[in-house]
Amino acid sequence: FNEPTEKEYENFLEEAEHVKRFAVERGLLIENKTLRVGDALAYFMGIENMLLTSFRNPSLIHALLDILLEWNIKYLRQILDAGIVDMINYEGWSESFFTPETYKTFIYPRVKKLVELAHKSRVKFCYGPRTPSDTLFRYFKEMGVDIFWGPDPVQGNRDLVRLKQEFGDRICFWGGVNSYVTLGTGTMREIERATAEAIRILGPGGGFILSAIDSLDEHTPWRNIEHMIRVWRRVGKYPVV
């Protein structure tokens, strides 16, 4: 919770300018991925303690979340004032463990403030809770979330068709292909089918960023990643309808 020193902030601005030049030259998106409210509380208390305390002592949870929100707002303002990011990628993995009712009480109003702050600077807001319910998706639309990071039809058991139909008019989806099962152990045919299916379902009308969910690691065969890219180049250029 320490404020950055003047020297640290100068170094940040210098590095930010370097990143901006690099991105502009190559047509890249610049994201910032360090904001956490509910996740930070879960790291501090543990998920079970956080959830139990939300029922037993809600005032304590509110107080702790307000402290974290204040820190996040300070940090976000410094990032936005630098004028280099295109998107804020907000970490919210642990927040999907709240019930819809407690989420609306504890998380919703605080994330909404961060979304509004980003939008004032014309910066997109990407949200990444792990396996949110349909009710939480409705909250995302209300809060003005621009991008949902993480649609996974395998380990996340996400219905991509329903996701696109119910929320694709407002939310961009980032993901669509499972990394650990599909890319990690799948055959070429399975990877091709999964990639083409994600593009066919989530691509029409825009609002889709193809990506492996949730990460590519050293054990992921590079030939499988290259195959996903080849399928994207072919199917993405000539969408299957």
Side-chain angles (χ1 to χ4, degrees), residues 71-96:
W71 182 86
N72 275 265
I73 287 175
K74 286 182 178 180
Y75 186 90
L76 179 56
R77 282 177 173 156
Q78 290 179 330
I79 294 295
L80 296 175
D81 288 346
I84 67 161
V85 297
D86 303 296
M87 181 187 74
I88 298 297
N89 197 330
Y90 174 84
E91 295 278 2
W93 190 86
S94 304
E95 295 175 354
S96 59

Side-chain angles (χ1 to χ4, degrees), residues 96-185:
S96 59
F97 289 102
F98 283 97
T99 67
E101 293 77 15
T102 53
Y103 180 96
K104 188 66 178 289
T105 298
F106 295 108
I107 303 300
Y108 180 106
R110 294 174 172 92
V111 173
K112 191 171 188 297
K113 287 183 179 180
L114 296 173
V115 173
E116 290 172 347
L117 190 56
H119 285 173
K120 285 182 180 178
S121 295
R122 298 184 179 181
V123 170
K124 300 297 184 183
F125 194 93
C126 178
Y127 196 8
R130 190 66 182 97
T131 53
S133 65
D134 288 348
T135 301
L136 294 193
F137 270 105
R138 289 193 287 274
Y139 291 160
F140 301 161
K141 288 182 68 173
E142 292 176 9
M143 290 187 291
V145 169
D146 301 292
I147 305 164
F148 168 62
W149 181 92
D152 179 356
V154 180
Q155 290 175 287
N157 197 31
R158 184 63 63 185
D159 185 339
L160 300 184
V161 172
R162 184 178 179 185
L163 196 67
K164 181 70 172 182
Q165 289 176 345
E166 295 190 9
F167 307 104
D169 62 322
R170 178 61 187 81
I171 298 176
C172 171
F173 302 110
W174 186 335
V177 177
N178 174 270
S179 58
Y180 294 112
V181 178
T182 302
L183 290 181
T185 65

